[in-house]
Amino acid sequence: MEYLGYIFGLIAFVWCCNLNTQVEKLKRTLKENNIVNNEKKSLKVILEKNIGKRGKITLESNAADYDITVKHCIIQDIDEDWVQLEVEKSGIQKLIRIESIKSIQIK
């Protein structure tokens, strides 16, 4: 009987892992086809209004970058899909996709 529970547990684990990959694939497909693009447009408008100002940016977990998430950055330029940032004290310049930004705190 223990083996039967182990087998069902293993099947459930594999099934859940497969569901996670399918959800991620569906999210990627929706983004590629511009079906869920409202957040990106509103964030782009906010960033355009704050060019030249400094802020602290939080990125999505899949795009985490230590240089940007910990330090204050200056928003230099914005494009359709990209934001150019400069880390305030070190002067490092980075390009970040707008869709990878989780939140921003403007000072």
Side-chain angles (χ1 to χ4, degrees):
M1 200 56 139
E2 293 173 6
Y3 295 113
L4 190 59
Y6 176 74
I7 291 171
F8 282 131
L10 187 62
I11 290 172
F13 177 74
V14 171
W15 182 68
C16 287
C17 289
N18 187 27
L19 281 177
N20 189 26
T21 58
Q22 288 179 354
V23 167
E24 292 299 322
K25 188 186 291 185
L26 180 61
K27 285 180 183 179
R28 197 175 328 112
T29 304
L30 290 173
K31 284 182 180 180
E32 288 172 357
N33 292 323
N34 292 328
I35 295 174
V36 286
N37 205 9
N38 294 337
E39 293 176 1
K40 180 179 164 184
K41 288 181 182 179
S42 63
L43 183 59
K44 181 182 173 201
V45 170
I46 292 170
L47 290 171
E48 282 177 342
K49 289 179 182 177
N50 292 304
I51 290 178
K53 295 183 181 177
R54 63 181 220 156
K56 199 171 197 178
I57 295 178
T58 306
L59 300 175
E60 296 288 338
S61 61
N62 58 355
D65 188 353
Y66 181 76
D67 290 334
I68 294 173
T69 56
V70 175
K71 302 172 184 161
H72 291 282
C73 300
I74 299 171
I75 303 168
Q76 290 188 328
D77 195 16
I78 188 165
D79 194 3
E80 291 295 320
D81 296 326
W82 297 90
V83 176
Q84 182 180 3
L85 302 171
E86 181 179 348
V87 180
E88 194 170 45
K89 292 184 180 179
S90 64
I92 298 172
Q93 293 186 351
K94 298 265 184 166
L95 284 174
I96 303 295
R97 284 193 171 273
I98 294 174
E99 63 190 28
S100 67
I101 297 175
K102 187 175 184 179
S103 67
I104 185 166
Q105 296 174 349
I106 304 292
K107 290 197 173 197

